[in-house]
Amino acid sequence: MSQTATQNQQATDTHVGFDVELRKVFKVFNGDTVVRGVDLSIRRGEFFSILGPSGCGKTTTLRLIAGFETPSAGDVLIRGQSMLNVPPYRRPANTVFQNYALFSHLTVWENVAFGLRIKKCRKSETQERVKEALKLVKMDGFANRFPAQLSGGQQQRVALARALINRPTVVLLDEPLGALDLKLRKEMQVELSNLHQELGVTFVLVTHDQEEALSLSDRIAVMVEGKVEQIGTPSQIYDRPQTPFVADFIGDTNLFRGKIEGAHPTMLWIITDRGLKMKVQPTDASGLPLTSGAVVVSVRPEKVNVSFSPPDDAINCFEGRLKHVMYLGTHVHYVVQLRSGDQLTVRQPNALNVPDSDTPIYLHWGADDCLALPE
């Protein structure tokens, strides 16, 4: 075995658990750094989502994996092999775009078969694999139609079939459901999840939809300003955010800024900028205990308990006035203004008798129902 082949085999063995790795990747456009030292390791067979607000660098990161952009610094690896000098069409990765990018002059069958024809596959193999791919996405009855004759959801299925037919190591999904209406989007999310489980192929999804990322993903990377803010499972991202940005971006939360007045390994005593005194569980995000300094306390709306009379022995209990009620079917959203002037959002099951506006109301939560994050 040659030295190069030996090195390649060693690289593959070393990274056998990962399909995609980004190592200190930077991307600069006209002096503007849009990806800043991103490190990612995406496991084999994982459904991995890159989530963040518009302009955070998530789509550029996906394009760097696909090969449509070249890193300004750092390295991109697929199955342990560097992709720096590998063009997109030679990478074991296929992309599904938001606008589907189907050829309007080709039928569904011809669109799906396009990649195999470029590779000069045998006609019999092409027919068998196209038939298999269309059946997989429930489009086998539409083979002779053109894209203009399909709905948005059907076009999305064809785009998925075209991406899957080459049997890539990685399927890259660039906001693939963004153009669909809400009902169809939900249906396609279920189909995406089922496809992933059935195929066992690594999926990398870029989205700004938090609910989509939480419901589909094995793990999520939250990006902001070109950097990865946190990587974790959906429950880690939602229940144990490591920064105020992640706490505020993922779902709804109530944030209080303040400072630590006292500290214990399992408890913090915090006074907020508006004078509220709280007992709070310290976060384990950094692995180091919080003992002093400025912090942000995060309380999810569903963690807040509601009483219409002062509760006995409740900690973190504050009086306020009900300002707004939003009926959401199974749940009710309350907006409550505390005597301190803080305004909180509360989510409760639709079982309480809703009082009149400006009725005194008491909000309370346990120390383990909120988190203190270093500001």
Side-chain angles (χ1 to χ4, degrees):
M1 184 181 290
S2 70
Q3 183 177 357
T4 301
T6 302
Q7 290 172 343
N8 287 342
Q9 183 61 47
Q10 288 172 345
T12 302
D13 292 342
T14 301
H15 303 280
V16 70
F18 299 123
D19 269 351
V20 179
E21 294 173 88
L22 277 70
R23 298 179 179 175
K24 295 286 186 295
V25 171
F26 288 80
K27 182 61 182 178
V28 180
F29 290 111
N30 300 320
D32 182 22
T33 305
V34 296
V35 174
R36 301 171 180 269
V38 167
D39 279 305
L40 287 178
S41 295
I42 300 173
R43 297 167 187 147
R44 189 159 300 175
E46 189 170 33
F47 199 126
F48 190 94
S49 291
I50 304 174
L51 175 67
S54 296
C56 71
K58 58 186 184 295
T59 294
T60 301
T61 300
L62 196 80
R63 290 175 62 84
L64 288 164
I65 299 171
F68 301 129
E69 303 290 350
T70 302
S72 303
D75 199 358
V76 176
L77 296 89
I78 298 180
R79 287 280 172 97
Q81 303 298 315
S82 175
M83 296 287 115
L84 288 186
N85 298 312
V86 181
Y89 63 90
R90 291 196 179 277
R91 297 190 182 197
N94 280 3
T95 305
V96 179
F97 300 97
Q98 183 175 352
N99 63 358
Y100 317 134
L102 299 176
F103 299 113
S104 59
H105 64 290
L106 300 181
T107 65
V108 166
W109 196 97
E110 291 166 337
N111 265 282
V112 175
F114 184 81
L116 298 181
R117 288 181 165 178
I118 293 295
K119 290 184 174 181
K120 294 183 169 50
C121 284
R122 296 191 311 274
K123 185 176 180 180
S124 59
E125 181 184 357
T126 297
Q127 288 178 334
E128 185 62 32
R129 286 172 63 176
V130 171
K131 181 180 178 181
E132 178 185 307
L134 289 176
K135 185 177 181 180
L136 190 65
V137 298
K138 302 181 178 66
M139 288 296 291
D140 39 329
F142 298 82
N144 295 321
R145 293 197 187 182
F146 289 89
Q149 298 172 309
L150 304 176
S151 68
Q154 290 168 335
Q155 290 183 48
Q156 183 59 266
R157 289 185 177 94
V158 175
L160 273 168
R162 188 176 62 181
L164 293 168
I165 198 166
N166 284 324
R167 298 169 183 169
T169 298
V170 184
V171 176
L172 305 173
L173 304 156
D174 185 8
E175 305 223 26
L177 310 182
L180 305 179
D181 63 60
L182 181 60
K183 185 173 184 297
L184 186 54
R185 188 183 185 108
K186 298 292 185 187
E187 292 174 1
M188 287 299 297
Q189 286 174 4
V190 173
E191 291 193 22
L192 261 184
S193 181
N194 290 339
L195 265 177
H196 174 255
Q197 291 177 24
E198 184 175 344
L199 296 171
V201 176
T202 301
F203 279 22
V204 182
L205 170 72
V206 157
T207 182
H208 65 274
D209 187 317
Q210 304 152 31
E211 184 180 337
E212 186 168 278
L214 290 170
S215 63
L216 290 175
S217 309
D218 296 312
R219 286 191 304 149
I220 300 168
V222 181
M223 288 189 69
V224 59
E225 296 180 351
K227 298 181 292 185
V228 173
E229 193 86 345
Q230 183 175 348
I231 300 174
T233 65
S235 62
Q236 288 170 339
I237 294 290
Y238 186 83
D239 294 323
R240 287 292 180 267
Q242 295 179 357
T243 68
F245 172 82
V246 175
D248 195 31
F249 183 73
I250 305 297
D252 297 321
T253 196
N254 299 292
L255 297 178
F256 302 87
R257 282 173 169 77
K259 61 182 180 181
I260 297 174
E261 286 201 320
H264 183 272
T266 60
M267 188 70 69
L268 297 176
W269 289 264
I270 291 170
I271 184 165
T272 72
D273 292 347
R274 291 189 173 182
L276 298 178
K277 294 185 177 180
M278 298 183 184
K279 292 181 180 179
V280 182
Q281 183 185 69
T283 181
D284 58 358
S286 65
L288 300 173
L290 293 170
T291 56
S292 62
V295 293
V296 175
V297 178
S298 170
V299 190
R300 296 289 187 189
E302 66 273 15
K303 299 292 187 180
V304 181
N305 300 301
V306 176
S307 300
F308 300 121
S309 59
D312 296 330
D313 301 325
I315 64 171
N316 298 327
C317 182
F318 309 102
E319 183 183 347
R321 293 292 185 273
L322 184 62
K323 291 298 180 184
H324 184 69
V325 177
M326 185 180 297
Y327 179 76
L328 298 175
T330 58
H331 289 76
V332 178
H333 265 186
Y334 299 97
V335 177
V336 178
Q337 186 165 1
L338 302 183
R339 297 179 69 177
S340 63
D342 293 291
Q343 193 162 277
L344 271 69
T345 300
V346 182
R347 185 184 302 124
Q348 292 284 307
N350 184 20
L352 294 173
N353 293 320
V354 180
D356 297 329
S357 295
D358 287 328
T359 299
I361 191 169
Y362 297 87
L363 305 183
H364 56 98
W365 57 87
D368 57 350
D369 289 327
C370 53
L371 287 174
L373 305 166
E375 186 160 22

